[in-house]
Amino acid sequence: QLSDQQKVSESPLSQFRGVYLPPALHPLNKTLVKGGKWKDVDRTQEKRRSFLHDFCKKYNSRKKLQTHLMHLVSRIYVEDRHKILYCEVPKAGCSNWKRVLMVLNGLAASAQNISHDDVHYGKHLRKLDSYDLKGIYTRLNTYIKTIFVRDPMERLVSAFRDKFEHPNSYYHPVFGKAIIKKYRHDANEEALKTGSGVKFKEFIQYLLDSHRPVGMDIHWEQVSKLCYPCLINYDFIGKFETLEEDANYFLQLVGAPAELKFPKFKDRHSSDERTSAEVVRQYLKELSKEERQLTYDFYYLDYLMFNYTSP
């Protein structure tokens, strides 16, 4: 919430120079919510909001976060009709969220028939960094901003299973080859050529390596670095663990058409068992105690910000 003077002096590609945020916690506008069945969801929502706000107040008093404005908003999708900003967190229901935004935007009649490729490669939705500076500030200050998160370990294991345990024409040659080459000492020619068959332990070695052979990826990047929840004041915090009720309550808040409900289907590999706490436990068994601790440390901020219990 910068003053007009500051807004004028900020060039589009300059820094948020150590601005202390978050701004004041604004009350949610609940005038469009119908019926009394949302009381519990609303109570939970208010707890999450104030928890994150209090955390950021403490965290930011110790640390100035300096981040490029365009980078700050690069993961945020815009839906202008209902004035929504949605920050995409992969492996936390983002494909179905993008389907919903397309329906809200009048780009599709129903979320059910939108294909995975259309969602992710169709370029139907605009991102916030595609607007000019005034457009960005106006939307940040007046639209309802939402983020949906997930238990960090579950999200990590889900990303690993999706990208490395199924054929993938991008992740195997780009990440797989580099990971096998660096962390598998007895790698055969086939594995080095295709990059297929990365083991979870090797993937974790890559994740924790400060000299990674390939960069980070949004599917396992920390939410704190994807959506900057202490710099952008999110109005609504949904969780994957309560995805449907949170999402449908949010749709009430923004005045979505009554017939639009959040889709229940699993977007890809629908026959696979969902990544649950039990599934995560099996994967974590492959790691040493130290690797488990370091992986937790890697996602430490995400655990704290969103009040997840350490595994």
Side-chain angles (χ1 to χ4, degrees):
Q1 313 276 6
L2 302 177
S3 70
D4 291 341
Q5 186 66 49
Q6 279 173 294
K7 282 181 199 171
V8 172
S9 65
E10 288 276 336
S11 75
L13 299 175
S14 71
Q15 304 279 86
F16 256 164
R17 294 194 203 288
V19 182
Y20 283 119
L21 290 162
L25 192 60
H26 297 300
L28 270 176
N29 179 356
K30 297 168 190 174
T31 49
L32 297 171
V33 177
K34 294 175 181 65
K37 71 171 195 170
W38 301 106
K39 276 202 179 72
D40 289 348
V41 188
D42 179 62
R43 207 172 294 124
T44 302
Q45 188 53 228
E46 291 302 343
K47 277 185 191 156
R48 286 178 194 163
R49 279 160 43 89
S50 57
F51 184 90
L52 178 63
H53 187 262
D54 292 346
F55 167 79
C56 290
K57 244 189 340 208
K58 275 185 261 177
Y59 174 69
N60 277 0
S61 64
R62 295 197 307 270
K63 188 174 177 201
K64 276 190 175 184
L65 285 171
Q66 292 205 338
T67 309
H68 204 292
L69 175 62
M70 290 301 179
H71 180 66
L72 203 71
V73 300
S74 64
R75 307 275 3 129
I76 296 180
Y77 285 88
V78 180
E79 201 285 285
D80 281 317
R81 280 187 179 185
H82 296 79
K83 302 196 165 177
I84 297 167
L85 297 181
Y86 161 70
C87 187
E88 175 189 30
V89 175
K91 311 313 296 173
C94 71
S95 301
N96 280 338
W97 258 118
K98 286 196 245 181
R99 287 185 173 94
V100 166
L101 294 179
M102 284 168 73
V103 173
L104 288 172
N105 214 0
L107 297 165
S110 145
Q112 305 302 322
N113 339 330
I114 308 170
S115 73
H116 177 87
D117 285 0
D118 226 17
V119 165
H120 291 286
Y121 311 114
K123 303 274 186 280
H124 300 294
L125 297 165
R126 279 187 78 174
K127 285 190 179 161
L128 193 50
D129 62 356
S130 70
Y131 293 82
D132 63 12
L133 197 62
K134 183 170 184 284
I136 292 174
Y137 279 125
T138 304
R139 285 169 179 80
L140 277 176
N141 286 324
T142 57
Y143 284 21
I144 185 167
K145 298 176 286 298
T146 184
I147 181 175
F148 272 70
V149 297
R150 184 177 187 176
D151 175 275
M153 288 295 184
E154 278 187 28
R155 188 177 153 244
L156 176 69
V157 171
S158 174
F160 172 77
R161 294 173 76 200
D162 180 23
K163 303 305 176 199
F164 296 102
E165 292 186 351
H166 293 274
N168 192 299
S169 59
Y170 172 70
Y171 284 90
H172 293 202
V174 174
F175 287 86
K177 275 159 85 164
I179 288 172
I180 289 170
K181 188 178 173 191
K182 182 159 185 186
Y183 309 106
R184 188 179 299 175
H185 303 304
D186 54 352
N188 62 34
E189 227 170 288
E190 178 69 6
L192 290 167
K193 199 170 82 192
T194 63
S196 297
V198 169
K199 296 181 174 73
F200 186 62
K201 190 179 176 77
E202 295 166 338
F203 171 64
I204 294 301
Q205 286 174 304
Y206 143 79
L207 185 78
L208 301 175
D209 187 347
S210 55
H211 304 288
R212 286 185 201 102
V214 262
M216 269 307 274
D217 181 86
I218 60 166
H219 291 85
W220 44 86
E221 180 68 276
Q222 300 103 317
V223 177
S224 54
K225 289 186 181 171
L226 286 171
C227 295
Y228 296 96
C230 282
L231 287 176
I232 291 170
N233 204 19
Y234 289 99
D235 303 291
F236 190 93
I237 299 147
K239 289 195 170 181
F240 187 78
E241 294 75 12
T242 48
L243 179 59
E244 270 173 63
E245 55 190 35
D246 289 349
N248 288 324
Y249 178 50
F250 180 80
L251 290 173
Q252 287 266 316
L253 286 172
V254 298
E259 68 277 6
L260 178 61
K261 297 284 180 281
F262 192 79
K264 290 182 179 181
F265 59 83
K266 188 171 188 282
D267 191 45
R268 304 223 297 177
H269 318 309
S270 51
S271 60
D272 285 7
E273 184 189 352
R274 269 200 193 274
T275 304
S276 61
E278 187 43 51
V279 170
V280 169
R281 206 168 289 126
Q282 297 309 317
Y283 279 82
L284 292 181
K285 278 181 185 168
E286 297 173 32
L287 307 180
S288 68
K289 199 174 173 187
E290 188 192 14
E291 284 167 332
R292 288 200 291 267
Q293 181 62 49
L294 289 170
T295 308
Y296 169 71
D297 295 345
F298 186 83
Y299 291 105
Y300 182 57
L301 265 188
D302 288 0
Y303 273 101
L304 287 184
M305 279 178 172
F306 301 109
N307 202 13
Y308 279 110
T309 332
S310 54

